[in-house]
Amino acid sequence: MYADAVTTVVLEVQSNPNAQKLMEARRETFHLEVFIERLELMLHDMFGEDCVACKDGKKLSVTVDGVTAFIDPETRMVEYQEGSTEEESLREMVEVAVQRLYDALSPVF
């Protein structure tokens, strides 16, 4: 009974052109500047203010126990400083945190 009602509503919304126009009008764009600002705040909370640095206003770096991980917010990739590849857990932790924040800030529709 509930499934029928939900299916009816979903089908009606999908076929209604007015609902489609409303969804397109509300579509938001992703703001990279906001993402970088919030990523920096999150990394400060995770690792401390001394461990996080922002370069060029775009690239972030996190230094933990002498190992530096560089974060590219545009591609959400985490790379190490040359010669420091042994600390895989730091890279995974930062990469997952960056991806989760990106998913949380991205528009759903």
Side-chain angles (χ1 to χ4, degrees), residues 8-74:
T8 303
V9 169
V10 168
L11 291 173
E12 187 174 327
V13 169
Q14 285 180 343
S15 63
N16 188 349
N18 290 333
Q20 296 295 327
K21 288 179 185 177
L22 178 64
M23 292 297 283
E24 288 177 13
R26 294 190 63 208
R27 184 164 293 183
E28 299 174 18
T29 58
F30 185 77
H31 298 287
L32 186 62
E33 298 83 24
V34 173
F35 175 67
I36 293 171
E37 178 184 319
R38 294 192 179 154
L39 177 61
E40 189 174 7
L41 287 172
M42 182 184 71
L43 292 172
H44 280 288
D45 288 344
M46 288 176 69
F47 300 106
E49 292 187 23
D50 301 343
C51 297
V52 180
C54 186
K55 296 180 182 179
D56 305 331
K58 295 276 184 188
K59 297 233 180 191
L60 295 166
S61 65
V62 176
T63 305
V64 177
D65 295 331
V67 178
T68 303
F70 297 101
I71 305 159
D72 186 0
E74 291 180 14

